[in-house]
Amino acid sequence: MTDDVNSSNQQYSGHICQCLSRISTTRNDRVFTIFGDRRKTGFEFVESVCKLANGLAKLGIQKGDVIAIAALNSDLYLEWLLAISFVGGVSAPLNYRWNFEEAKSAMEVVNPVMLVVDESCHTWYTQLQHNGADSIKWHVSIGDLPPSSSFGSGHVLSSEHLKKPLEKSQSMFDYCWAPDGIALICFTSGTTGKPKGVAISHTSLIVQSLAKIAIVGYAEDDVYLHTAPLCHIGGISSGLTMLMVGACHVLIPKFETLTALKEIEQHRVSTFIAVPTMMVDLISTIRKRSEEDGVRWRGGGSMKKILNGGGGLSTELVKDITTNIFPTAKLLSAYGMTETCSSLTFMTLYDPANGSPGIQLRRVESTPREGFLVGKPAPHVELRIMREGSSSPVGRILTRGPHVMVKYWGHQTVKQDQGWIDTGDIGWMDSYGDLWLVGRLKDRIKTGGENVFPEEVETVLLKHPGISSILVVGIPDPRLSEMVIACVQVRENWRWADHNSDFLQEKEMPVISTVILQKYCKEMKLSRFKIPKVFLLWRKPFPLTSTGKLRRQEVRQEAISKLQLMLPSYL
């Protein structure tokens, strides 16, 4: 390549495409990706990436150009992420669940020169013809264009059409870097507002991969099921980790319980990442198939590692997972965010080697503390607590290190107090170096002059065997300023017994109620002012943002409406 590429090579020490040389050797003639009936060896996968990268370069993609991708998971999606980086471009994965206006808003932030979509987002192409993003020069279908393509005329290219064989003088090692070493832009958002583009570097992604390999124990012989979408940092980070280690990839378009269980059994999947709702759905479906259809679960024996993120797992759920569903799997949990390239801390919830919870959890059981334990920082992560008062160990959680984002796209490089960035979370560090998360500062409830963080209350209540999911919010109160209430989803085979509930009355079912839960909070040593004054039975899924975060404000408004109808029985 050119001299300026060589100087870039000296400036940036890592590149995500360095995984290609390992894949082409260790997986050369072995199956590397599985997507439906399509199989590719390591050699075929690498060849496809290099041909696509060469085609992008010949088309005119320049270093620093942004290419947006809106598609379901597939082996082709992985190829595109690597090919874009190979030519020094910047990937901008868009959430396929967005509506067009959300997608257009995100594209206005990053100004992509190319939009790559599959059938799940094909309508965006048509809409862009009338209300388009001016920066887009090329529209591409991630797969072959179907015969009756809804993309319309010949203005859309296909992946196969773009691919060009490498010249003799080219090799898989001739990759380029974008300015600032940025590899991708991952979108995040709060409970309201437009998505923000988080610029993440090659270095951050590689360091995160190495941490997961070291802590979780990923290896070349793993078979990894992509359960998380490749438009989210969790799916991207773990997917890249498995590329770096040279493991086999099993891809499904999106998480559907029956499909995931089928793939686990068929391909003897050894690892995947999950959020609590996925685990609940897997357990519920396995149980239902066994009880109603007599279908025996045969996929538990191959599972070796499960990494949970996006929220805590209740004690009962951990027991279900490790006893009945995946008894041979090491179960870990991680805490992090998009701005820190996924995971900051890790914790072992269960280790089959000794058949017991990790040492961190055993300390929790013996010493109740404020907040909930999220584990020890990864070796590359530096954490600091900026305390609000001299007497309390609790404060804002700050972090710095090679994992931190470069910037929000369109803004200056992030610099704050010698490289520290504020996570927006509140917590403290114990004498063992473990982090305890108290909650999100913006979700704090002010009640009677005291601070209550919903996450702390939720963690306590999730340990009750009758609760499957819970969300705590504060609602206006003339005396307390805000009153703590809890919206509760009841586990299967439990009965909600409050007087105002029309929940099915079955005497043989165990009972759960407001009085029972308030008593439970006291037994768990939760401070009196933190105990919810009201518990509402919640029969539908909690609403999520397009980036998968809970819409607390939406639940709060609906809870207020419900309570107004129930007056004066509660208030």
Side-chain angles (χ1 to χ4, degrees):
M1 290 272 178
T2 60
D3 290 339
D4 63 335
V5 172
N6 292 328
S7 65
S8 292
N9 197 356
Q10 294 170 1
Q11 185 177 358
Y12 303 113
S13 57
H15 194 294
I16 61 173
C17 284
Q18 66 192 61
C19 67
L20 296 175
S21 58
R22 181 183 182 90
I23 295 167
S24 65
T25 52
T26 61
R27 283 276 173 183
N28 183 54
D29 56 355
R30 291 191 292 157
V31 174
F32 181 64
T33 60
I34 301 171
F35 179 71
D37 295 329
R38 186 164 62 218
R39 307 282 192 278
K40 288 186 180 180
T41 64
F43 174 81
E44 290 169 333
F45 178 83
V46 171
E47 182 183 47
S48 188
V49 170
C50 291
K51 284 183 176 180
L52 181 56
N54 196 35
L56 291 174
K58 289 183 179 299
L59 190 66
I61 298 299
Q62 303 294 314
K63 287 184 289 183
D65 280 348
V66 176
I67 297 178
I69 308 175
L72 300 173
N73 284 3
S74 70
D75 54 337
L76 301 180
Y77 201 132
L78 286 178
E79 291 174 9
W80 269 93
L81 288 174
L82 291 173
I84 293 167
S85 288
F86 194 104
V87 297
V90 177
S91 303
L94 306 179
N95 195 327
Y96 62 85
R97 288 178 287 196
W98 280 341
N99 59 40
F100 174 72
E101 289 304 319
E102 289 175 302
K104 186 170 179 289
S105 175
M107 285 188 276
E108 287 172 348
V109 171
V110 298
N111 295 314
V113 299
M114 177 183 287
L115 174 63
V116 183
V117 301
D118 67 3
E119 282 292 303
S120 68
C121 301
H122 66 83
T123 58
W124 293 0
Y125 169 72
T126 307
Q127 290 172 288
L128 282 168
Q129 305 310 301
H130 305 87
N131 188 17
D134 296 335
S135 62
I136 297 177
K137 299 176 183 177
W138 301 282
H139 292 268
V140 181
S141 168
I142 202 166
D144 294 329
L145 289 171
S148 57
S149 175
S150 51
F151 288 107
S153 64
H155 295 97
V156 179
L157 304 171
S158 72
S159 294
E160 289 303 314
H161 174 81
L162 280 174
K163 290 178 180 178
K164 305 294 181 187
L166 292 178
E167 309 279 338
K168 286 186 178 180
S169 60
Q170 294 175 299
S171 81
M172 71 180 69
F173 303 105
D174 291 339
Y175 39 74
C176 306
W177 282 259
D180 295 323
I182 294 170
L184 62 89
I185 302 165
C186 201
F187 289 94
T188 186
S189 66
T191 53
T192 60
K194 296 180 179 180
K196 296 178 291 185
V198 178
I200 298 172
S201 70
H202 288 276
T203 298
S204 293
L205 290 163
I206 291 170
V207 169
Q208 177 70 217
S209 296
L210 294 175
K212 286 181 175 172
I213 292 168
I215 296 169
V216 182
Y218 293 129
E220 181 186 322
D221 60 356
D222 271 320
V223 180
Y224 174 67
L225 177 64
H226 285 256
T227 49
L230 287 168
C231 58
H232 285 181
I233 189 60
I236 294 170
S237 172
S238 290
L240 182 62
T241 301
M242 306 315 287
L243 287 170
M244 298 292 288
V245 82
C248 179
H249 295 249
V250 179
L251 296 108
I252 53 180
K254 58 183 177 180
F255 179 80
E256 292 175 338
T257 312
L258 289 174
T259 304
L261 292 175
K262 175 188 171 186
E263 298 296 311
I264 290 171
E265 288 185 321
Q266 182 177 347
H267 301 296
R268 295 191 58 77
V269 168
S270 64
T271 184
F272 67 96
I273 66 171
V275 295
T277 52
M278 286 183 185
M279 299 307 305
V280 169
D281 289 347
L282 289 172
I283 291 169
S284 176
T285 301
I286 289 171
R287 218 169 249 146
K288 184 177 179 182
R289 293 171 76 199
S290 174
E291 293 172 357
E292 296 182 6
D293 305 324
V295 178
R296 184 183 172 190
W297 168 237
R298 300 177 184 274
S302 65
M303 197 62 61
K304 303 302 178 189
K305 316 161 191 97
I306 301 172
L307 181 61
N308 172 72
L313 297 173
S314 68
T315 304
E316 288 297 312
L317 191 52
V318 170
K319 189 181 297 183
D320 260 349
I321 295 167
T322 57
T323 304
N324 304 317
I325 310 301
F326 299 115
T328 60
K330 184 178 181 180
L331 181 62
L332 303 97
S333 189
Y335 153 74
M337 60 199 65
T338 305
E339 288 85 346
T340 60
C341 194
S342 190
S343 308
L344 286 168
T345 66
F346 294 86
M347 178 171 63
T348 300
L349 301 177
Y350 177 82
D351 190 344
N354 52 34
S356 65
I359 188 170
Q360 293 157 309
L361 281 189
R362 293 199 292 275
R363 288 204 303 266
V364 173
E365 291 167 1
S366 61
T367 315
R369 305 287 184 88
E370 181 177 6
F372 55 100
L373 183 63
V374 292
K376 202 174 291 294
H380 67 279
V381 172
E382 194 173 0
L383 294 180
R384 168 187 166 197
I385 306 299
M386 191 169 72
R387 296 190 297 177
E388 296 179 334
S390 57
S391 61
S392 172
V394 177
R396 290 173 175 267
I397 301 171
L398 309 183
T399 185
R400 70 177 177 184
H403 58 291
V404 170
M405 67 176 179
V406 177
K407 61 184 177 181
Y408 288 115
W409 193 260
H411 296 74
Q412 295 299 313
T413 302
V414 173
K415 291 292 180 186
Q416 178 181 333
D417 190 15
Q418 298 182 335
W420 294 100
I421 70 164
D422 193 335
T423 65
D425 289 337
I426 301 294
W428 61 284
M429 300 281 287
D430 66 19
S431 58
Y432 296 97
D434 288 313
L435 179 66
W436 293 70
L437 185 64
V438 176
R440 294 287 294 171
L441 186 61
K442 64 182 178 60
D443 295 329
R444 177 173 54 182
I445 301 167
K446 296 284 286 185
T447 179
E450 301 282 1
N451 292 325
V452 176
F453 291 93
E455 294 89 345
E456 180 186 5
V457 183
E458 290 162 0
T459 300
V460 169
L461 284 163
L462 271 174
K463 293 177 182 176
H464 191 285
I467 291 179
S468 65
S469 187
I470 188 166
L471 196 145
V472 173
V473 295
I475 66 169
D477 182 82
R479 188 172 68 86
L480 298 171
S481 180
E482 283 187 293
M483 179 173 64
V484 181
I485 73 163
C487 303
V488 177
Q489 292 179 341
V490 179
R491 282 178 72 90
E492 210 174 332
N493 300 322
W494 280 73
R495 175 168 62 91
W496 182 255
D498 268 10
H499 67 281
N500 59 339
S501 171
D502 58 358
F503 200 83
L504 184 63
Q505 302 292 309
E506 295 182 3
K507 292 182 180 179
E508 67 274 13
M509 297 171 71
V511 174
I512 190 172
S513 69
T514 292
V515 173
I516 290 171
L517 291 176
Q518 288 175 333
K519 182 181 178 183
Y520 179 78
C521 288
K522 293 174 184 175
E523 292 171 352
M524 296 296 288
K525 310 300 183 186
L526 193 64
S527 300
R528 186 174 294 274
F529 65 86
K530 297 177 182 178
I531 299 174
K533 301 290 189 294
V534 175
F535 286 83
L536 291 176
L537 180 61
W538 205 267
R539 291 188 174 85
K540 58 186 179 181
F542 290 123
L544 303 174
T545 67
S546 55
T547 52
K549 297 178 181 177
L550 285 167
R551 292 186 181 271
R552 285 189 185 271
Q553 286 303 314
E554 191 173 314
V555 173
R556 180 176 180 268
Q557 290 304 317
E558 191 167 340
I560 290 171
S561 299
K562 285 187 176 185
L563 287 174
Q564 287 172 343
L565 294 174
M566 296 162 64
L567 288 172
S569 61
Y570 268 127
L571 301 179

